[in-house]
């Protein structure tokens, strides 16, 4: 299939085009879902559609999109498929539909679940067609088949596909090997010989038909390779190559890479591929020589070569060490030397040389280049590489091929780690603008690319890290490219009159370089050939605004900048054309990265960062000392010397900085590279699961050997009844009979043996395993902690559901726990309870909390603080702690200050205790003196007291003695009195012991704080806190990736990891937190990994579509584990939304129900005042002939929907809905800006209406909620990225009480993926139904017919008019009610009026507006309602010029006030908005 030119944006067909299409007309007759009377199946229709719509248009994507969108596969192709009607056109049509589904990134294989029995025959036909001659199927058609096969091999998790694919790749395929090679391989792995003999016996028993099919299957890939080599050879050495042939070759190599990169397929296929010498044939082909057509092919070939030589044992799957790889290399060379010594006298010198002397390419070519082709063939046959050459015959292979095959096989290899360490981390201009490696934003998803893929499985941890490293690097490169293009286009470099460069513009993020000088090139470290360090000075002139100057001066150590060389050829004043290639226009020559060390002071010294204020420098000239990349410097210098090229480092004329938030790529890449250079120790129980092999349930707690039988659930259960309800089907046996004693907290003992080998998934699949279980429940009393009210522990108040309890139980047990939390199911509450229970059950263990966003971390922390966890054990790393809604500071230095303040507080308590005991001296001076006081004064008194009051054996104690002899009465004089109740000896003794525990805790804490007296600097204290004191440490995944090196150096340790929002975290950023500590004796101390997330909501944000879709970089590790079948606990009761609203998204989840309160609480039972329905889809037609518009690429807007949404918001406000309970969401950034503009114009500064809580995109609002959501879907021509069901789920699940969606109903109701939600939405009227005279609050119950008069709004202009008149009516009412009491001057704000009945008839409202003008009335305080579309400007009702002038004056003042406020607010959101704009572009690659 011919790739769409990368720089060209694909245009989606419009609704009118769709309706006019021949396909649509056929669809309406034969298979459209909304048509009730369909015509009977006719196979000629399929032939006709294929010939006319697909083949004749050369597989035009637009046509295939239309077919796929019309549900051609689901409703016509597959339901009617059988062997009787199968044809080439039928096969090709199905393949095109499946390939299109993969391109669109929608579920592809669901259609085949209808009639799976036909799939084996269909697959067999595909295999035959793939090997067909060009007379039957063109190469373009066979390329489609190759893409389909590639998708099959990458979908091994689908049972239906796996059954067929496994037949093609297994041990029997080795029948295709050269006989001597087969013997050699079987000898190498003895157990395979046994299997081979069994296969032979089995084949002998087969009948002729089955044997023929088995032969076809096992020889299929070998035949496909032979066919490919024939196609490759037909490419002429001169002239241009047919693009059909090139695309076929590219897709074939892509298939080979994917087979080599998966262990189940590689195990058998790698030997067959090696035996075919495919890589050697490709490198010698004419296609590689063609610079333009063969560029992508060559890049793919390099990837294939990399994977064919990957450092892994194909049979065992074990990664090979550097020593093992060296041994394999030496074995190959020595076997070649032995063959040469025994049989080839002309190679005598070679045979007797040492390995290091002969294993270079030059040496091998020198020794073997002079041999004849026949001799070379004989050498290869001795090494089992080729079949034996019969005597007297000449070889059929060319000498060039034979020589290359021997040399490439035996030349010295460069270690993969060495290659990685020599790789520069900063991208250069060669990579940044290479379309095959970093495609443009307009990647259509059709062509293949030279990129690694993240699928289900990886070969080794090294492979896993390397693929992620490359993709993370390239995604960063894409963002850097956007920044470079942006700043250069702003700087406007033009050619000066006398040559040189003139900058016609300016850029905030870039400055022209005045001078650049290399100041240090340090000697290489031992064993390395690149400098240890390269430093340079960059001088710039900051003659810019004070604020921007401050930003440049604020560049910190380790900030990354880019040095750029431009040599423009455009004359002064030429405009930049964004449609033309950027590099040629700008004259960009070089891009190199650098890292800031610091700014230089007037004496040329680096200004160090620290608490001291930075010195003020005079003038505008600033010089920065920067570190350059030593690897890149060494490569540039070598290239310059060898080729006589210019020195790159003498040419730089621009320095560019980037936003700190987006500029952490180098630190993350260094972290991944360091991980690859160290021995990655992942816990044994996780290793195979991370790579995607073995039993996916092996890390579930039920299969862990160290499962814990008895757990203390602390305050998880509210009562014994709650406990019984939490374990349905289990027998609960209590250790105490009395119901009065059966009070929480409870310890539960589980029967571990009966759990062995079983798993409880989602609270339903494992119920059989639980039925026979008996749980032993032991209530226990928490020891008295002291007499003060604050000594009482904080308790959980949430009544957890059975599945939430299962999630908490799994999280407390060792192993991997995956919790799928649909919207509103209490994911955070479960996470917090797990943390609390681990803290109390295992006080010596430390728990690491990792989340995607600071917001989620702050929510977790706020809930943790409400539980019984000592705050001295909490620590928050990173910069998000400023956003915590608490006065307490949980950052490193905040905790140090807390400890120091707490120490003084405790020492004061010690002083009070000393005074109460009458002990002389200053014992409360330090923690050390306090410790001595405790040991010699407090403990002695306590032990003496115990000896006095302890009950003698056989006698009960005397209750009066407990209080009489108590030595600390004076100390506890400030506690609630009386301390002792005097009712029973046991009770008073417990109180006395509680008092002593309170005292004991003071001295225990002081002992812990003693280190803070010895450590003097804040840095040392904060490190001690992190490594020793903190028990619960929280950070974002980005912080973990950035700071891994520092944490490992400090000796940071932890036992448990809990990850929130796990489905939103990049795969590599999920993996790095597992390795933030050094292994102990070669083993990881990690005991638990709890991941909580929802893979049905939006994935991590990847800006470049190629990496997102082609490389599957948006797949989180959480999602991959779910796809692999790792057991999950699916939370099954939501408590966020009305039951009716949850129906819009609960179809996406397993058994999602509602908590009782969403049906019982008054707010859920009451109707939405003034609105007939609690949710409604409101159809919005074109306004003035315009639907969606696109002022910039992918910046979609829809004026009618924006105005309608704002009008509904204003209507709700006028009815009394609080603004903070309403949010307006949209699926596109462009629409978000349009709605914000509409709000600013219509009502933003009007105190009666104001602004909604938030106006933002659906993606940005993930993880948040509000009572009422107004949603604009924007698109009218194509569904767009809402076709991703995950985005639909997020959009539908944000509202608690009301959801009102503005969209083009005809477009969205026909989308197959969205039908479960849109069937419910379109079941209700598609025009807005309102009840204007029903104010908030209302007595009407949800679902009941309103008693007030209803009104149906036909379109947006009508709603705009209605709201305007309603507003004017309310203002008139306010005149009447308030005029007698309101005196001038006009007050600044008006409270909302009491609800007044609204006149339903618009005419009546208009009539009720008074004609005469009151001179000083509060109406002046309100801004005049702006003109709405659909309303004439004359009907505004302004009376005379004075009013107009006064209003303009008021408006100006208010605008100024509002502008200041808005600027403050918008500045914060500006960065987010820019990010979103980019994201929209990347996401919107729909057809």
């Amino acid at each position: 299939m011919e790739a769409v030119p990368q720089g060209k944006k694909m245009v989606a067909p419009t609704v009118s085009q769709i309706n006019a299409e021949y396909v649509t007309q056929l669809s309406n007759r034969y298979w459209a879902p909304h048509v009730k009377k369909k015509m009977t199946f006719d196979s000629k229709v399929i032939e006709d559609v294929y010939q006319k719509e697909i083949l004749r248009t050369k597989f035009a994507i637009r046509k295939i999109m239309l077919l796929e969108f019309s549900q051609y596969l689901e409703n016509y192709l597959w339901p009617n498929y059988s062997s009787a009607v199968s044809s080439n056109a039928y096969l090709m049509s199905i393949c095109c539909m499946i390939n299109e589904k993969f391109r669109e990134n929608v579920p592809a294989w669901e259609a085949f679940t209808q009639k799976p029995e036909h799939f084996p025959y269909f697959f067999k036909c595909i295999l035959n067609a793939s090997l067909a001659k060009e007379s039957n199927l063109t190469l373009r058609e066979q390329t489609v088949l190759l893409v389909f096969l590639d998708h099959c091999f990458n979908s091994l998790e689908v049972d239906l596909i796996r059954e067929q694919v496994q037949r093609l790749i297994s041990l029997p395929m080795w029948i295709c090997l050269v006989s001597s090679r087969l013997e050699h391989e079987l000898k190498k792995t003895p157990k395979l010989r046994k299997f081979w003999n069994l296969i032979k016996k089995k084949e002998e028993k087969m009948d002729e038909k089955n044997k023929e099919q088995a032969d076809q299957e096992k020889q299929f890939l070998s035949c496909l390779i032979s066919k490919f080599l024939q196609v490759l050879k037909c490419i002429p050495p001169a002239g241009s190559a047919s693009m059909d042939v090139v695309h076929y070759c590219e897709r074939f190599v892509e298939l080979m890479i994917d087979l080599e990169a998966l262990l189940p397929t590689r195990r058998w296929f790698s030997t067959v591929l090696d035996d075919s010498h495919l890589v050697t044939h490709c490198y010698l082909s004419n296609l590689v020589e063609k610079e333009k057509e063969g560029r992508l092919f060559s890049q793919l070939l390099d990837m294939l070569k990399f994977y064919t030589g990957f450092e892994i044992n194909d049979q065992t799957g074990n990664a090979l060490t550097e020593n093992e790889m060296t041994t394999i290399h030496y074995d190959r060379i020595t076997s070649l030397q032995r063959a040469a010594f025994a049989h080839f006298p002309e190679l005598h010198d070679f045979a007797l040389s040492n390995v290091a002397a002969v294993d270079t390419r030059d040496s091998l070519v020198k020794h073997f280049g002079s041999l004849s082709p026949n001799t070379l063939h004989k050498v290869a046959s001795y090494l089992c590489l080729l079949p034996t050459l019969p005597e007297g015959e000449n070889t059929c292979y060319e000498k060039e091929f034979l020589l290359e095959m021997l040399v490439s096989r035996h030349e010295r290899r460069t270690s993969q780690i060495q290659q990685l360490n020599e790789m520069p981390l900063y991208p250069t201009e060669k990579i940044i603008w290479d379309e095959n490696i970093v495609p443009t934003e307009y990647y259509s998803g059709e062509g293949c690319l030279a990129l690694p893929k993240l699928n289900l499985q990886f070969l080794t941890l090294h492979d896993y890290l390397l693929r992620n490293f490359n993709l993370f690097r390239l995604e960063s490169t894409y963002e850097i490219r956007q920044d470079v293009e942006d700043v250069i286009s702003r700087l406007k470099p033009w050619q000066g009159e006398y040559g040189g460069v003139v900058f016609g513009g300016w850029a905030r993020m870039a400055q022209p370089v005045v001078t650049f000088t290399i100041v240090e090139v340090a000697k290489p470290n031992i064993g390395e050939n690149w400098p240890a360090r390269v430093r340079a000075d960059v001088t710039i002139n900051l003659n810019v605004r004070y604020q921007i100057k401050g930003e440049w001066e604020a560049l910190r150590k380790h900030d990354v900048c880019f040095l750029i060389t431009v040599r423009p050829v455009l004359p002064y004043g030429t405009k930049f054309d964004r449609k033309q290639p950027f590099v040629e226009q700008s004259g960009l020559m070089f891009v190199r990265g650098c890292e800031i060390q610091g700014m230089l002071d007037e004496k040329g010294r680096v200004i160090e960062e620290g608490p001291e204020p930075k010195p003020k420098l005079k003038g505008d000239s600033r010089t920065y000392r920067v570190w350059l990349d030593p690897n890149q410097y060494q490569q540039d210098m070598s290239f310059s010397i060898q080729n006589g090229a210019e020195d790159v480092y003498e040419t730089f004329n621009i320095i560019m900085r980037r936003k700190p938030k987006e500029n952490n790529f180098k630190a993350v890449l260094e972290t991944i590279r360091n991980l690859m250079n160290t021995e990655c120790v992942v816990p044994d129980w996780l290793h195979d699961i991370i790579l995607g092999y073995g039993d996916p349930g092996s890390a579930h707690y039920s299969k862990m050997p160290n499962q814990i039988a008895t757990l203390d659930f602390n305050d998880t259960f509210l009562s014994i009844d709650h406990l019984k309800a939490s374990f349905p089907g289990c027998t609960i046996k209590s250790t105490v009979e009395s119901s009065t004693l059966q009070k929480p907290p409870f310890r539960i003992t589980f029967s571990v043996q009966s759990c062995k080998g079983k798993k409880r998934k989602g609270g339903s699949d494992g119920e059989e395993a639980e039925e026979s279980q008996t749980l032993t429940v032991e209530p226990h009393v928490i020891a008295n902690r002291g007499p003060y009210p604050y000594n009482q522990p904080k308790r959980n108040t949430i009544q957890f559901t059975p599945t939430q309890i299962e999630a908490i139980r799994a999280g407390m047990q060792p192993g991997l726990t995956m919790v799928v939390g649909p919207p509103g199911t209490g994911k955070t509450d479960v996470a917090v309870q797990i943390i609390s229970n681990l803290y109390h059950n295992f006080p010596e263990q430390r728990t690491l909390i990792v989340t995607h966003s600071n917001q989620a971390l702050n929510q977790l922390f706020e809930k943790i603080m409400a539980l019984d966890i000592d705050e001295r054990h909490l620590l928050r790393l990173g910069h998000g702690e400023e956003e915590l809604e608490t006065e307490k500071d949980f950052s490193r230095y905040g905790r140090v200050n807390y400890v120091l303040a707490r120490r003084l507080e405790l020492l004061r308590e010690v002083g009070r205790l000393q005074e109460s005991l009458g002990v002389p001296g200053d014992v409360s001076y330090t923690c050390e003196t306090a410790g001595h006081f405790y040991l010699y004064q407090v403990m002695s008194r306590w032990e003496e007291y115990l000896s006095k009051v302890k009950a003698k054996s056989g006698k009960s104690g005397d209750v009066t003695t407990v209080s009489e002899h108590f030595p600390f009465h004076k100390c506890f004089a400030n506690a609630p009195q009386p301390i002792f109740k005097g009712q029973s000896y046991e009770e008073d003794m417990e109180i006395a012991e509680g008092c002593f525990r309170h005292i004991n805790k003071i001295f225990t804490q002081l002992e812990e704080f003693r280190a803070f007296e010895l450590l003097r600097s804040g840095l040392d204290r904060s490190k001690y806190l992190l490594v020793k004191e903190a028990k619960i440490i929280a950070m974002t995944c980005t912080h973990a990736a950035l700071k891994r090196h520092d944490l490992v150096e400090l000796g940071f340790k932890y036992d448990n990891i809990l990850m929130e929002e796990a489905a939103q975290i990049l795969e590599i950023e999920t993996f790095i937190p597992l390795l933030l500590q050094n292994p102990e004796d070669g083993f990881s101390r990690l005991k638990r990994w709890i991941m909580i997330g929802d893979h049905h909501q939006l994935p991590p944000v990847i800006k470049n579509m190629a990496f997102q879709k082609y490389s599957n970089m948006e797949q989180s590790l959480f999602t991959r584990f779910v796809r692999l079948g790792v057991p999950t606990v699916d939370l099954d009761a939501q408590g966020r939304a009305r039951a009716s609203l949850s129906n819009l998204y609960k179809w996406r989840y397993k058994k999602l129900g509602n908590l009782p309160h969403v049906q019982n609480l008054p707010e859920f039972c009451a109707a939405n005042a003034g609105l007939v329905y609690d949710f409604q889809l409101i159809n919005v037609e074109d306004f003035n002939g315009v639907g969606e518009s696109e002022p910039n690429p992918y910046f979609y807007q829809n004026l009618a929907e924006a105005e309608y949404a704002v009008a509904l918001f204003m209507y709700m406000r006028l009815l009394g809905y609080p603004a903070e309970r309403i949010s307006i969401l949209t699926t596109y950034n462009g629409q978000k800006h349009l709605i914000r503009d509409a709000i600013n114009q219509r009502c933003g500064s009007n105190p009666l209406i104001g602004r909604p809580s938030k106006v933002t995109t659906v993606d940005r609002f993930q993880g948040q909620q509000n009572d009422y959501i107004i949603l604009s879907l924007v698109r009218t021509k194509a569904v767009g990225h809402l076709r991703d069901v995950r985005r639909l789920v997020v959009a539908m699940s944000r509202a608690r009480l009301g959801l009102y969606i503005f969209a083009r109903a005809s477009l969205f109701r026909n989308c197959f993926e969205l039908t479960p939600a849109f069937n419910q939405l379109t079941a209700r009227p598609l025009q807005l139904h309102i009840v204007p005279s029903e104010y908030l609050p209302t007595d009407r119950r949800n679902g009941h017919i309103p008693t007030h008069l209803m009104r149906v709004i036909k379109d947006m202009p009508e709603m705009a008019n209605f709201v305007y008149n309603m507003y004017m009516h309310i203002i008139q009412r306010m005149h009447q009610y308030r005029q007698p009491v309101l005196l001038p001057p006009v007050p600044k704000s008006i409270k909302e009026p009491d609800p007044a009945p609204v006149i339903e008839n618009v005419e009546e409202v208009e009539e009720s507006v008074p004609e005469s003008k009151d001179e000083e009335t509060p109406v002046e305080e309100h801004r005049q309602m702006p003109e709405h579309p659909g309303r004439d400007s004359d009907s505004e009702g302004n009376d005379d010029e004075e009013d107009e002038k006064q209003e303009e004056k008021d408006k100006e003042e208010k605008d100024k006030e509002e502008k200041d406020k808005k600027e403050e607010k918008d500045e914060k959101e500006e960065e987010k908005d820019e990010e979103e704009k980019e994201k929209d572009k990347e996401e919107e690659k729909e057809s």
Side-chain angles (χ1 to χ4, degrees), residues 206 620 1192:
M206 282 184 181
D620 294 331
N1192 294 321

Side-chain angles (χ1 to χ4, degrees), residues 124 142 172-173 342 585 590 724 761 772 813 818 832 884 980 1131 1166 1344 1402 1417 1446-1447:
K124 181 185 168 188
Q142 290 180 16
M173 75 183 303
Q585 276 192 94
F590 307 114
K724 287 174 180 173
K761 185 173 178 180
S772 59
Q813 293 281 9
M818 300 255 302
V832 168
L884 265 171
F980 298 101
L1131 302 183
H1344 288 200
V1402 180
T1417 57
Q1446 181 63 39
E1447 210 164 84

Side-chain angles (χ1 to χ4, degrees), residues 373-390:
N374 286 350
T375 312
L376 288 170
H377 188 131
K378 285 174 184 172
V379 173
S381 66
Y382 274 113
L383 299 171
C384 307
L385 300 177
L386 290 175
T388 310
L389 185 67

Side-chain angles (χ1 to χ4, degrees), residues 604-659:
R605 293 175 303 197
V606 174
I607 300 168
E608 294 295 338
E609 289 182 0
E612 301 82 27
K614 288 189 177 179
K616 295 276 183 188
L617 300 179
K618 295 173 184 174
D620 294 331
S621 182
R622 298 287 180 271
T623 302
Y624 294 90
R625 177 75 40 86
V626 297
W627 289 296
L628 300 174
D629 189 322
N631 288 330
Q632 186 67 55
Y633 184 80
Q634 190 263 338
Q635 286 180 17
D636 287 334
M637 289 298 106
S638 301
F639 181 80
S640 177
I641 292 161
Q642 288 166 11
N643 300 291
E646 67 179 326
D647 183 353
V648 173
Y649 297 90
E650 291 178 1
T651 64
F652 298 131
N653 49 19
I654 297 172
I655 182 169
M656 180 188 87
R657 63 188 173 94
R658 300 179 72 220
K659 291 176 185 171

